[in-house]
Amino acid sequence: RSSAASDVYKRQEYGAVLKEGLYEDAERKETLLDLCRFSTNESEDPISLSQYLEKMPDTQKEIYYISAETSAQALASPHLEGFKSKNIPVLIMTDAIDQFWLPMIGSFKEKKFTSITQGKINLDELDSKNKDKKNKSNDKDKQDKEYVDLIAQLKVVLGDQVKDIRLSSKLTDSPVCLVADEGDMDIAMEQLMAQRDSNYKGAPRILEINGDHSLIKNMKSLLSKKESNDLVSDAVSYTHLRAHET
């Protein structure tokens, strides 16, 4: 069997079993981690974690992953947009056991496993040139000031349906996305809990908005016209509902 075929065989036949071993046998985690294979947002061909590290840009300090029920769902997620645009590899996690071994293992070769659907990720920090970073920082400061009023209005409309609202550095094509706060349960884990308990209520999520998207820009423009507040409120409710569907 060829090396490539062998990797596919390992992933399909033993992938979940190896991951269960990571959760149950921490003493052998290094050996098991070396055996595990993962597809990425760049290719369905499974790679090892060492190969992932080789693909990382020099400025990248963490191992990024996204969890979903299927690869198709993961690849369609708006959370991946910024990573795709910057050619940053993201591991695809589709096994239920992933929600247990990842937080327990924590890292691989001193690189932390980081879910892209949880916490605050600033992709601008991965730009390789200091000049690019400075320009992006100045642009962000300017955009933060421009969207203060809209974000305040969004918070009034959505209330306790969201934990917070902020501008996103991850979105390029979609207007909004929802993320779990740093200390809360990751979105995929919440979905797993909800499948097992119909009464389970997860924590409110953070709404991230794309300040460069035409819909968000139009909402900001409409808000400046005081008579359009109701229209903005309707648009806010609609986009929040759509964010739950992605």
Side-chain angles (χ1 to χ4, degrees):
R1 181 183 281 128
S2 69
S3 176
S6 178
D7 280 350
V8 171
Y9 179 78
K10 283 179 184 177
R11 182 177 183 276
Q12 292 179 341
E13 300 297 326
Y14 298 115
V17 175
L18 288 172
K19 292 173 180 178
E20 288 175 7
L22 287 170
Y23 183 67
E24 297 172 356
D25 190 357
E27 291 183 3
R28 300 179 185 176
K29 70 175 185 178
E30 295 301 330
T31 299
L32 293 172
L33 284 171
D34 283 334
L35 289 173
C36 286
R37 298 293 183 268
F38 308 89
S39 62
T40 71
N41 59 320
E42 298 176 338
S43 174
E44 291 184 2
D45 294 333
I47 62 172
S48 66
L49 290 173
S50 293
Q51 288 173 312
Y52 178 93
L53 296 186
E54 292 173 4
K55 293 166 69 69
M56 285 171 49
D58 292 339
T59 53
Q60 183 179 340
K61 306 303 181 186
E62 298 167 299
I63 297 173
Y64 294 115
Y65 70 90
I66 182 170
S67 298
E69 289 188 21
T70 67
S71 292
Q73 287 181 351
L75 293 172
S77 172
H79 292 275
L80 280 174
E81 292 172 359
F83 295 88
K84 291 177 182 176
S85 69
K86 293 180 179 290
N87 297 315
I88 298 171
V90 178
L91 300 176
I92 308 297
M93 303 289 181
T94 57
D95 294 317
I97 191 65
D98 293 329
Q99 304 311 310
F100 300 94
W101 73 264
L102 280 163
M104 189 185 75
I105 297 296
S107 63
F108 175 72
K109 294 186 177 178
E110 300 183 352
K111 301 292 185 182
K112 178 186 174 185
F113 288 109
T114 298
S115 169
I116 68 171
T117 61
Q118 183 179 29
K120 190 171 186 178
I121 297 174
N122 184 3
L123 293 183
D124 294 334
E125 293 180 349
L126 299 183
D127 289 329
S128 57
K129 297 179 181 178
N130 289 331
K131 184 178 179 181
D132 290 340
K133 290 182 181 179
K134 186 176 181 180
N135 289 339
K136 290 287 179 62
S137 178
N138 291 337
D139 290 344
K140 183 181 182 302
D141 290 341
K142 181 180 178 182
Q143 196 175 57
D144 283 342
K145 293 176 182 177
E146 289 178 353
Y147 280 93
V148 167
D149 291 341
L150 178 61
I151 288 176
Q153 178 66 15
L154 298 183
K155 289 181 177 179
V156 169
V157 174
L158 295 176
D160 58 8
Q161 294 181 71
V162 294
K163 191 168 189 178
D164 196 9
I165 300 171
R166 65 191 181 209
L167 287 167
S168 175
S169 74
K170 293 186 296 186
L171 297 173
T172 59
D173 302 320
S174 300
V176 296
C177 70
L178 289 165
V179 301
D181 199 6
E182 190 72 47
D184 291 339
M185 198 176 290
D186 195 14
I187 289 176
M189 185 60 175
E190 281 196 348
Q191 292 171 341
L192 188 63
M193 295 290 287
Q195 289 173 5
R196 299 183 177 185
D197 181 1
S198 59
N199 295 318
Y200 176 79
K201 301 293 183 184
R205 299 173 186 171
I206 295 170
L207 181 70
E208 291 193 348
I209 64 173
N210 179 1
D212 294 323
H213 193 279
S214 58
L215 175 61
I216 304 300
K217 286 182 176 180
N218 288 338
M219 288 168 63
K220 177 169 71 74
S221 177
L222 284 170
L223 189 64
S224 66
K225 304 169 185 175
K226 303 300 182 182
E227 68 275 11
S228 301
N229 282 12
D230 288 344
L231 184 57
V232 172
S233 297
D234 289 342
V236 170
S237 298
Y238 174 73
T239 53
H240 179 246
L241 180 63
R242 288 297 304 273
H244 273 284
E245 297 172 357
T246 58

